[in-house]
Amino acid sequence: MDSVRILLYSLIFLLSVFGNLLIIVVLVANKRMRTVTNSFLLSLAVSDLMMAVFCMPFTFIPNLLEDFIFGAAMCRIVAYLMGTSVSISTFSLVAIAIERYSAICNPLKSRAWQTRSHAYKVISMTWALSFLIMTPYPVFSSLVSYQKPNNITAHMCRHDWPKDQLKQAWCILLLLILFVIPGVVMITAYGLISRELYCGIQFELEQKKGHSGTKNGAAATISSGIDHGDGCYIQVLKRPNSMEMSTLTLTTSAKVDRPRSNTSESKLMAKRRVIRMLIVIVSMFFICWMPLYSVNTWKAFHPPSAHRALSGAPISFIHLLSYTSACVNPIIYCFMNKRFRKALLTTFSCCCQSCRPRSFTEGDEDVTATGASVSKFNYTTISTMGPC
Protein backbone atom coordinates (compact mmCIF):
# COMPACT_ATOMS: atom_id res chain seq x y z
CA MET A 1 0.00 0.00 0.00
CA ASP A 2 2.86 2.40 0.76
CA SER A 3 4.44 1.78 -2.64
CA VAL A 4 1.12 2.47 -4.35
CA ARG A 5 0.72 5.72 -2.43
CA ILE A 6 4.28 6.80 -3.26
CA LEU A 7 3.73 6.07 -6.95
CA LEU A 8 0.39 7.92 -7.14
CA TYR A 9 1.59 10.94 -5.16
CA SER A 10 4.75 11.21 -7.27
CA LEU A 11 2.75 10.97 -10.51
CA ILE A 12 0.18 13.59 -9.48
CA PHE A 13 2.91 15.86 -8.13
CA LEU A 14 4.96 15.74 -11.34
CA LEU A 15 1.91 16.23 -13.58
CA SER A 16 0.70 19.17 -11.48
CA VAL A 17 4.06 20.95 -11.38
CA PHE A 18 4.93 20.31 -15.02
CA GLY A 19 1.45 21.14 -16.39
CA ASN A 20 1.01 24.37 -14.43
CA LEU A 21 4.55 25.53 -15.20
CA LEU A 22 3.84 25.06 -18.91
CA ILE A 23 0.69 27.16 -18.62
CA ILE A 24 2.52 29.92 -16.76
CA VAL A 25 5.36 30.02 -19.31
CA VAL A 26 3.01 30.04 -22.32
CA LEU A 27 0.69 32.73 -20.96
CA VAL A 28 3.53 34.97 -19.81
CA ALA A 29 5.67 34.57 -22.94
CA ASN A 30 2.91 35.20 -25.50
CA LYS A 31 1.48 38.71 -25.50
CA ARG A 32 -1.43 37.69 -27.72
CA MET A 33 -2.56 35.21 -25.07
CA ARG A 34 -3.05 37.93 -22.46
CA THR A 35 -6.84 37.99 -22.61
CA VAL A 36 -9.35 38.35 -19.79
CA THR A 37 -9.99 34.63 -19.53
CA ASN A 38 -6.30 33.77 -19.69
CA SER A 39 -5.60 36.19 -16.85
CA PHE A 40 -7.84 34.09 -14.61
CA LEU A 41 -6.25 30.92 -15.97
CA LEU A 42 -2.81 32.27 -15.07
CA SER A 43 -3.98 32.93 -11.51
CA LEU A 44 -5.45 29.43 -11.38
CA ALA A 45 -2.18 27.90 -12.62
CA VAL A 46 -0.13 29.76 -9.99
CA SER A 47 -2.47 28.68 -7.19
CA ASP A 48 -2.47 25.07 -8.40
CA LEU A 49 1.32 25.15 -8.53
CA MET A 50 1.35 26.43 -4.95
CA MET A 51 -1.01 23.63 -3.98
CA ALA A 52 1.25 21.01 -5.53
CA VAL A 53 4.43 22.39 -3.94
CA PHE A 54 3.16 23.25 -0.45
CA CYS A 55 0.36 20.73 0.04
CA MET A 56 1.41 17.41 -1.44
CA PRO A 57 4.89 16.84 0.04
CA PHE A 58 4.03 18.27 3.48
CA THR A 59 0.90 16.14 3.66
CA PHE A 60 2.16 12.87 2.24
CA ILE A 61 5.58 12.62 3.96
CA PRO A 62 4.27 13.13 7.53
CA ASN A 63 1.40 10.74 6.79
CA LEU A 64 3.82 8.12 5.48
CA LEU A 65 6.35 8.52 8.31
CA GLU A 66 3.72 9.22 10.98
CA ASP A 67 5.91 12.14 12.05
CA PHE A 68 6.08 15.81 11.01
CA ILE A 69 9.83 16.28 10.55
CA PHE A 70 9.90 19.85 9.21
CA GLY A 71 9.77 21.81 12.49
CA ALA A 72 7.36 24.19 14.21
CA ALA A 73 7.96 27.16 11.90
CA MET A 74 7.25 25.14 8.77
CA CYS A 75 4.12 23.80 10.47
CA ARG A 76 2.64 27.30 10.64
CA ILE A 77 3.89 28.39 7.20
CA VAL A 78 2.76 25.25 5.41
CA ALA A 79 -0.68 25.29 7.08
CA TYR A 80 -1.16 28.91 5.98
CA LEU A 81 -0.02 28.34 2.39
CA MET A 82 -2.07 25.14 2.10
CA GLY A 83 -5.30 26.92 2.97
CA THR A 84 -4.43 29.97 0.87
CA SER A 85 -3.64 27.98 -2.28
CA VAL A 86 -6.85 25.96 -2.02
CA SER A 87 -8.86 29.15 -1.48
CA ILE A 88 -7.27 30.96 -4.45
CA SER A 89 -7.81 27.95 -6.72
CA THR A 90 -11.49 27.70 -5.76
CA PHE A 91 -12.15 31.42 -6.13
CA SER A 92 -10.38 31.40 -9.52
CA LEU A 93 -12.70 28.62 -10.73
CA VAL A 94 -15.69 30.68 -9.63
CA ALA A 95 -14.35 33.81 -11.35
CA ILE A 96 -13.81 31.87 -14.60
CA ALA A 97 -17.37 30.49 -14.43
CA ILE A 98 -18.89 33.95 -13.91
CA GLU A 99 -16.72 35.51 -16.62
CA ARG A 100 -17.66 32.80 -19.15
CA TYR A 101 -21.37 33.14 -18.28
CA SER A 102 -21.26 36.89 -18.87
CA ALA A 103 -19.32 36.57 -22.13
CA ILE A 104 -21.59 33.89 -23.58
CA CYS A 105 -25.06 34.67 -22.22
CA ASN A 106 -24.72 38.48 -22.12
CA PRO A 107 -22.05 39.25 -24.73
CA LEU A 108 -23.05 42.87 -25.42
CA LYS A 109 -23.21 43.93 -21.76
CA SER A 110 -20.07 42.04 -20.78
CA ARG A 111 -17.89 43.90 -23.28
CA ALA A 112 -18.37 47.11 -21.32
CA TRP A 113 -16.70 45.80 -18.18
CA GLN A 114 -14.77 42.66 -19.13
CA THR A 115 -11.34 44.19 -19.54
CA ARG A 116 -7.90 43.09 -18.43
CA SER A 117 -7.76 45.84 -15.82
CA HIS A 118 -11.02 44.56 -14.34
CA ALA A 119 -9.64 41.02 -14.39
CA TYR A 120 -6.49 42.14 -12.57
CA LYS A 121 -8.62 43.83 -9.89
CA VAL A 122 -10.69 40.67 -9.40
CA ILE A 123 -7.55 38.52 -9.20
CA SER A 124 -5.98 40.88 -6.66
CA MET A 125 -9.12 40.79 -4.54
CA THR A 126 -9.18 37.00 -4.80
CA TRP A 127 -5.62 36.66 -3.52
CA ALA A 128 -6.06 39.27 -0.76
CA LEU A 129 -9.31 37.67 0.42
CA SER A 130 -7.73 34.22 0.46
CA PHE A 131 -4.75 35.37 2.55
CA LEU A 132 -7.13 37.17 4.90
CA ILE A 133 -9.53 34.26 5.34
CA MET A 134 -6.74 31.79 6.17
CA THR A 135 -5.12 33.90 8.92
CA PRO A 136 -6.46 31.57 11.69
CA TYR A 137 -4.27 28.75 10.38
CA PRO A 138 -0.86 30.20 11.34
CA VAL A 139 -2.35 31.49 14.59
CA PHE A 140 -3.80 28.19 15.80
CA SER A 141 -1.37 25.75 14.15
CA SER A 142 1.21 24.13 16.42
CA LEU A 143 3.59 21.20 16.56
CA VAL A 144 2.40 18.60 19.08
CA SER A 145 4.46 15.70 20.42
CA TYR A 146 3.04 12.22 21.00
CA GLN A 147 4.28 8.71 21.74
CA LYS A 148 4.16 5.99 19.13
CA PRO A 149 3.33 2.39 20.16
CA ASN A 150 7.08 1.59 20.04
CA ASN A 151 7.76 4.40 22.61
CA ILE A 152 9.33 6.69 19.99
CA THR A 153 8.45 10.37 20.30
CA ALA A 154 6.92 11.78 17.13
CA HIS A 155 5.30 15.07 16.15
CA MET A 156 2.18 16.14 14.33
CA CYS A 157 1.19 19.50 12.90
CA ARG A 158 -2.37 20.18 14.00
CA HIS A 159 -4.80 23.04 14.48
CA ASP A 160 -5.14 23.66 18.22
CA TRP A 161 -8.45 25.51 18.58
CA PRO A 162 -9.35 27.00 21.99
CA LYS A 163 -12.85 25.52 21.90
CA ASP A 164 -14.50 22.70 19.98
CA GLN A 165 -17.36 25.03 19.02
CA LEU A 166 -14.88 27.39 17.37
CA LYS A 167 -13.36 24.52 15.42
CA GLN A 168 -16.78 23.36 14.27
CA ALA A 169 -17.80 26.89 13.24
CA TRP A 170 -14.57 27.26 11.25
CA CYS A 171 -15.16 23.94 9.51
CA ILE A 172 -18.71 24.91 8.55
CA LEU A 173 -17.46 28.30 7.30
CA LEU A 174 -14.89 26.66 5.02
CA LEU A 175 -17.47 24.15 3.83
CA LEU A 176 -19.75 26.99 2.76
CA ILE A 177 -17.32 29.48 1.21
CA LEU A 178 -14.97 26.96 -0.43
CA PHE A 179 -17.31 24.17 -1.48
CA VAL A 180 -21.08 24.73 -1.26
CA ILE A 181 -21.31 28.30 -2.56
CA PRO A 182 -18.65 27.84 -5.31
CA GLY A 183 -20.31 24.59 -6.34
CA VAL A 184 -23.72 26.25 -6.61
CA VAL A 185 -22.28 29.19 -8.58
CA MET A 186 -20.47 26.88 -11.01
CA ILE A 187 -23.53 24.65 -11.50
CA THR A 188 -25.73 27.70 -12.14
CA ALA A 189 -23.30 29.47 -14.49
CA TYR A 190 -22.35 26.42 -16.53
CA GLY A 191 -25.94 25.22 -16.54
CA LEU A 192 -27.11 28.50 -18.08
CA ILE A 193 -24.24 28.38 -20.57
CA SER A 194 -25.16 24.82 -21.54
CA ARG A 195 -28.79 25.85 -21.98
CA GLU A 196 -27.72 28.74 -24.21
CA LEU A 197 -25.56 26.44 -26.32
CA TYR A 198 -28.30 23.82 -26.46
CA CYS A 199 -30.78 26.44 -27.69
CA GLY A 200 -28.25 27.43 -30.35
CA ILE A 201 -27.92 23.78 -31.40
CA GLN A 202 -31.68 23.36 -31.64
CA PHE A 203 -32.03 26.58 -33.61
CA GLU A 204 -29.35 25.57 -36.12
CA LEU A 205 -30.98 22.16 -36.53
CA GLU A 206 -34.29 23.91 -37.24
CA GLN A 207 -32.50 26.17 -39.72
CA LYS A 208 -31.14 23.14 -41.54
CA LYS A 209 -34.62 21.61 -41.67
CA GLY A 210 -36.07 24.91 -42.85
CA HIS A 211 -33.37 25.23 -45.50
CA SER A 212 -34.13 21.78 -46.89
CA GLY A 213 -37.84 22.53 -46.63
CA THR A 214 -37.37 25.76 -48.57
CA LYS A 215 -35.65 23.91 -51.40
CA ASN A 216 -38.40 21.30 -51.52
CA GLY A 217 -41.02 24.04 -51.40
CA ALA A 218 -39.38 25.91 -54.27
CA ALA A 219 -39.38 22.74 -56.36
CA ALA A 220 -43.07 22.27 -55.56
CA THR A 221 -43.70 25.87 -56.63
CA ILE A 222 -42.30 25.14 -60.05
CA SER A 223 -44.68 22.23 -60.54
CA SER A 224 -47.82 23.38 -58.71
CA GLY A 225 -47.49 27.10 -58.16
CA ILE A 226 -48.26 26.89 -54.38
CA ASP A 227 -45.60 27.05 -51.63
CA HIS A 228 -46.40 25.32 -48.34
CA GLY A 229 -42.78 24.74 -47.31
CA ASP A 230 -42.43 27.59 -44.78
CA GLY A 231 -45.79 27.08 -43.07
CA CYS A 232 -47.08 30.51 -44.12
CA TYR A 233 -49.20 29.18 -46.97
CA ILE A 234 -48.35 32.08 -49.30
CA GLN A 235 -49.98 31.85 -52.70
CA VAL A 236 -47.40 32.15 -55.47
CA LEU A 237 -48.54 32.60 -59.06
CA LYS A 238 -46.96 30.41 -61.67
CA ARG A 239 -45.12 32.67 -64.08
CA PRO A 240 -42.28 32.00 -66.49
CA ASN A 241 -40.08 34.70 -64.90
CA SER A 242 -40.60 33.28 -61.43
CA MET A 243 -39.71 29.83 -62.73
CA GLU A 244 -36.46 31.14 -64.17
CA MET A 245 -35.57 32.93 -60.93
CA SER A 246 -36.41 29.84 -58.88
CA THR A 247 -34.28 27.69 -61.11
CA LEU A 248 -31.42 30.17 -60.83
CA THR A 249 -31.78 30.33 -57.06
CA LEU A 250 -31.76 26.57 -56.73
CA THR A 251 -28.71 26.32 -58.96
CA THR A 252 -26.85 28.97 -56.96
CA SER A 253 -27.82 27.49 -53.60
CA ALA A 254 -26.70 24.06 -54.70
CA LYS A 255 -23.20 25.42 -55.24
CA VAL A 256 -22.89 26.86 -51.71
CA ASP A 257 -24.94 24.25 -49.91
CA ARG A 258 -22.06 21.88 -49.26
CA PRO A 259 -19.64 24.35 -47.52
CA ARG A 260 -22.52 25.86 -45.57
CA SER A 261 -23.54 22.40 -44.37
CA ASN A 262 -19.97 21.57 -43.38
CA THR A 263 -19.65 24.82 -41.41
CA SER A 264 -22.95 24.19 -39.63
CA GLU A 265 -21.95 20.64 -38.71
CA SER A 266 -18.61 21.83 -37.30
CA LYS A 267 -20.37 24.46 -35.19
CA LEU A 268 -22.81 21.90 -33.82
CA MET A 269 -20.00 19.51 -32.96
CA ALA A 270 -18.00 22.30 -31.29
CA LYS A 271 -20.97 23.36 -29.16
CA ARG A 272 -21.59 19.77 -28.09
CA ARG A 273 -17.93 19.49 -27.09
CA VAL A 274 -18.19 22.66 -25.01
CA ILE A 275 -21.28 21.33 -23.21
CA ARG A 276 -19.50 18.06 -22.43
CA MET A 277 -16.46 19.99 -21.18
CA LEU A 278 -18.63 22.09 -18.84
CA ILE A 279 -20.16 18.92 -17.41
CA VAL A 280 -16.67 17.52 -16.84
CA ILE A 281 -15.57 20.73 -15.06
CA VAL A 282 -18.43 20.64 -12.55
CA SER A 283 -18.17 16.88 -12.05
CA MET A 284 -14.42 17.00 -11.36
CA PHE A 285 -14.86 19.81 -8.83
CA PHE A 286 -17.29 17.75 -6.76
CA ILE A 287 -15.38 14.49 -7.21
CA CYS A 288 -12.11 16.04 -6.05
CA TRP A 289 -13.32 18.12 -3.12
CA MET A 290 -16.50 16.56 -1.71
CA PRO A 291 -14.70 13.67 0.10
CA LEU A 292 -12.20 16.01 1.79
CA TYR A 293 -14.77 18.51 3.04
CA SER A 294 -17.01 15.68 4.23
CA VAL A 295 -14.10 14.16 6.17
CA ASN A 296 -13.11 17.51 7.70
CA THR A 297 -16.67 18.07 8.86
CA TRP A 298 -16.77 14.57 10.35
CA LYS A 299 -13.47 15.13 12.18
CA ALA A 300 -14.71 18.44 13.57
CA PHE A 301 -17.91 17.02 15.07
CA HIS A 302 -16.78 13.51 16.07
CA PRO A 303 -12.97 13.18 16.11
CA PRO A 304 -12.63 9.71 17.70
CA SER A 305 -14.69 7.82 15.12
CA ALA A 306 -13.14 9.79 12.25
CA HIS A 307 -9.63 9.04 13.48
CA ARG A 308 -10.34 5.32 13.81
CA ALA A 309 -11.89 5.05 10.34
CA LEU A 310 -9.62 7.37 8.35
CA SER A 311 -6.13 7.27 9.84
CA GLY A 312 -3.35 6.04 7.60
CA ALA A 313 -4.03 5.11 3.98
CA PRO A 314 -7.71 6.22 3.72
CA ILE A 315 -7.07 9.86 4.62
CA SER A 316 -3.96 9.82 2.43
CA PHE A 317 -5.96 8.76 -0.62
CA ILE A 318 -8.67 11.33 0.16
CA HIS A 319 -6.02 14.07 0.23
CA LEU A 320 -4.60 12.71 -3.02
CA LEU A 321 -8.02 12.92 -4.65
CA SER A 322 -8.32 16.60 -3.71
CA TYR A 323 -4.81 17.33 -4.99
CA THR A 324 -5.71 15.71 -8.30
CA SER A 325 -7.54 18.94 -9.17
CA ALA A 326 -4.13 20.65 -9.47
CA CYS A 327 -3.25 18.47 -12.47
CA VAL A 328 -6.79 18.16 -13.87
CA ASN A 329 -7.40 21.92 -14.14
CA PRO A 330 -4.56 22.52 -16.64
CA ILE A 331 -5.85 19.71 -18.84
CA ILE A 332 -9.48 20.87 -18.81
CA TYR A 333 -8.97 24.62 -19.10
CA CYS A 334 -5.88 24.84 -21.32
CA PHE A 335 -4.58 21.70 -22.98
CA MET A 336 -8.04 20.88 -24.39
CA ASN A 337 -8.00 24.28 -26.14
CA LYS A 338 -6.71 24.21 -29.72
CA ARG A 339 -5.42 27.80 -29.56
CA PHE A 340 -3.46 27.08 -26.39
CA ARG A 341 -1.86 24.03 -27.98
CA LYS A 342 -0.79 26.18 -30.94
CA ALA A 343 0.62 28.76 -28.55
CA LEU A 344 2.49 25.99 -26.73
CA LEU A 345 4.10 24.83 -29.98
CA THR A 346 4.96 28.42 -30.89
CA THR A 347 6.56 29.08 -27.51
CA PHE A 348 8.79 26.03 -27.68
CA SER A 349 9.47 26.24 -31.43
CA CYS A 350 13.13 26.92 -30.67
CA CYS A 351 13.38 23.35 -29.39
CA CYS A 352 11.45 21.90 -32.31
CA GLN A 353 12.63 23.24 -35.66
CA SER A 354 9.69 21.76 -37.54
CA CYS A 355 7.20 23.90 -35.59
CA ARG A 356 6.74 27.34 -37.10
CA PRO A 357 5.10 30.28 -35.32
CA ARG A 358 1.43 30.47 -36.05
CA SER A 359 -1.02 33.28 -35.51
CA PHE A 360 -3.74 32.71 -32.97
CA THR A 361 -6.51 34.66 -31.40
CA GLU A 362 -8.74 34.15 -28.41
CA GLY A 363 -9.78 30.60 -27.56
CA ASP A 364 -12.00 28.50 -29.79
CA GLU A 365 -14.45 27.93 -27.00
CA ASP A 366 -15.06 31.68 -26.75
CA VAL A 367 -15.91 32.07 -30.44
CA THR A 368 -17.83 28.83 -30.69
CA ALA A 369 -19.84 29.31 -27.56
CA THR A 370 -20.64 32.92 -28.34
CA GLY A 371 -22.16 31.69 -31.55
CA ALA A 372 -25.16 30.54 -29.56
CA SER A 373 -25.97 34.11 -28.64
CA VAL A 374 -25.45 35.27 -32.23
CA SER A 375 -27.77 32.55 -33.51
CA LYS A 376 -30.38 33.53 -30.98
CA PHE A 377 -30.11 37.19 -32.02
CA ASN A 378 -30.40 36.33 -35.72
CA TYR A 379 -33.40 34.14 -35.04
CA THR A 380 -35.18 36.94 -33.16
CA THR A 381 -34.39 39.49 -35.86
CA ILE A 382 -35.44 37.27 -38.77
CA SER A 383 -38.64 36.11 -37.11
CA THR A 384 -39.84 39.69 -36.54
CA MET A 385 -39.10 40.69 -40.13
CA GLY A 386 -40.79 37.76 -41.86
CA PRO A 387 -44.46 37.59 -42.95
CA CYS A 388 -45.17 34.86 -40.40
Side-chain angles (χ1 to χ4, degrees), residues 88-134:
I88 294 172
S89 179
T90 303
F91 290 156
S92 298
L93 293 176
V94 173
I96 292 172
I98 295 176
E99 188 267 338
R100 287 296 82 198
Y101 164 76
S102 300
I104 294 171
C105 297
N106 298 300
L108 299 180
K109 294 181 180 179
S110 65
R111 288 185 179 182
W113 58 271
Q114 279 191 354
T115 60
R116 279 187 292 178
S117 61
H118 180 267
Y120 296 154
K121 292 178 183 178
V122 173
I123 292 171
S124 301
M125 291 176 59
T126 296
W127 282 70
L129 182 62
S130 299
F131 278 103
L132 180 63
I133 291 175
M134 297 301 165

Side-chain angles (χ1 to χ4, degrees), residues 367-388:
V367 179
T368 303
T370 310
S373 300
V374 176
S375 299
K376 185 176 180 181
F377 172 76
N378 288 341
Y379 172 74
T380 306
T381 306
I382 295 171
S383 62
T384 54
M385 292 175 60
C388 299

Side-chain angles (χ1 to χ4, degrees), residues 170-375:
W170 173 255
C171 185
I172 294 298
L173 177 65
L174 290 185
L175 179 67
L176 289 176
I177 65 175
L178 294 183
F179 181 72
V180 176
I181 296 177
V184 171
V185 172
M186 291 175 65
I187 289 176
T188 304
Y190 290 140
L192 293 174
I193 292 173
S194 300
R195 188 187 67 173
E196 186 80 6
L197 297 178
Y198 180 78
C199 291
I201 292 173
Q202 295 299 315
F203 171 69
E204 290 186 8
L205 290 176
E206 291 177 0
Q207 270 191 328
K208 290 177 62 178
K209 293 180 181 179
H211 182 62
S212 60
T214 302
K215 291 194 299 181
N216 295 333
T221 303
I222 297 174
S223 59
S224 63
I226 299 177
D227 182 13
H228 298 280
D230 59 353
C232 299
Y233 302 103
I234 300 176
Q235 187 77 16
V236 180
L237 297 178
K238 184 178 179 180
R239 295 180 181 176
N241 293 336
S242 63
M243 290 176 60
E244 293 175 359
M245 289 298 297
S246 300
T247 306
L248 180 61
T249 304
L250 290 174
T251 305
T252 306
S253 63
K255 295 180 181 179
V256 299
D257 183 67
R258 184 177 300 275
R260 182 182 300 173
S261 176
N262 294 336
T263 304
S264 179
E265 289 294 334
S266 63
K267 288 183 178 180
L268 291 176
M269 292 178 61
K271 289 178 182 178
R272 292 191 180 102
R273 285 196 301 268
V274 173
I275 292 175
R276 287 195 295 268
M277 187 187 70
L278 297 180
I279 295 174
V280 170
I281 289 173
V282 175
S283 301
M284 289 305 302
F285 177 79
F286 282 92
I287 291 173
C288 291
W289 292 107
M290 182 179 288
L292 182 62
Y293 284 106
S294 302
V295 165
N296 290 339
T297 306
W298 184 9
K299 290 168 63 177
F301 285 89
H302 204 276
S305 61
H307 181 74
R308 287 194 304 268
L310 301 171
S311 60
I315 190 63
S316 181
F317 282 113
I318 291 174
H319 282 135
L320 178 63
L321 185 61
S322 64
Y323 299 150
T324 305
S325 63
C327 71
V328 170
N329 287 336
I331 297 174
I332 294 177
Y333 287 93
C334 292
F335 292 108
M336 291 178 64
N337 188 299
K338 183 189 299 183
R339 299 299 181 185
F340 180 85
R341 292 196 299 268
K342 290 183 179 180
L344 181 64
L345 293 177
T346 303
T347 303
F348 295 96
S349 59
C350 57
C351 301
C352 182
Q353 297 297 331
S354 61
C355 300
R356 296 181 179 179
R358 300 176 181 179
S359 61
F360 48 89
T361 56
E362 196 171 352
D364 285 345
E365 285 78 7
D366 299 349
V367 179
T368 303
T370 310
S373 300
V374 176
S375 299

